[in-house]
Amino acid sequence: MRAAEADGAVSADFGAALGLAPDHPDRDVRVRESALGAAHSAGRIGRVGVELIREMRLLREIGNPHLSADLAVGAAALASGIAGASVTLRANLRTARAHHASPTALSEIGAEASRLSHAQQEVEQFSAALSSEFDD
């Protein structure tokens, strides 16, 4: 199963848990567990983007210099994708925390959120540097 397909299933499960009546006896557990699952899923998607950073840097080194603008656009899109995964992960983390997730689970996901944030900044800087080459 591809990451997007798995993420869709996880998101559906999370939505179903959130849709339970507030007084449902399993709501807190289901929301917590599905929020953690959704956070992990967002982290997996973000890691795919992080893995592309190395490729992007390699293209800058050995690629066709006439395609620098295309690489700058790709870097900006990559930064946006990583940002989206990061925001989603942090939102799910907040929901999991509100539903009494364990400190261990929160710490693990929090570390992933930090890695994604750092990667986003790295790609944004790379994109800005490429883009600035086109300023007169």
Side-chain angles (χ1 to χ4, degrees):
M1 184 180 297
R2 292 181 307 183
E5 293 169 344
D7 187 63
V10 169
S11 292
D13 184 54
F14 190 23
L18 289 169
L20 292 172
D23 61 347
H24 190 284
D26 296 331
R27 186 177 194 277
D28 194 54
V29 171
R30 287 196 43 202
V31 169
R32 177 180 60 242
E33 295 306 313
S34 62
L36 290 171
H40 284 292
S41 183
R44 282 190 302 275
I45 290 172
R47 282 191 300 277
V48 170
V50 171
E51 290 172 9
L52 292 173
I53 295 172
R54 183 177 54 248
E55 302 297 324
M56 181 185 63
R57 290 197 180 281
L58 179 63
L59 283 173
R60 179 67 177 144
E61 290 176 26
I62 67 170
N64 183 337
H66 298 293
L67 299 177
S68 292
D70 295 322
L71 186 57
V73 170
L78 180 58
S80 294
I82 292 171
S86 177
V87 168
T88 301
L89 187 152
R90 289 182 286 121
N92 295 336
L93 180 63
R94 183 177 65 186
T95 300
R97 184 180 299 112
H99 290 272
H100 317 291
S102 74
T104 302
L106 295 172
S107 175
E108 176 186 322
I109 296 169
E112 184 68 29
S114 293
R115 284 188 291 273
L116 290 181
S117 178
H118 176 74
Q120 176 190 346
Q121 291 171 359
E122 179 184 349
V123 177
E124 286 172 347
Q125 290 170 354
F126 181 83
S127 177
L130 280 174
S131 181
S132 71
E133 293 176 7
F134 303 103
D135 295 339
D136 288 329

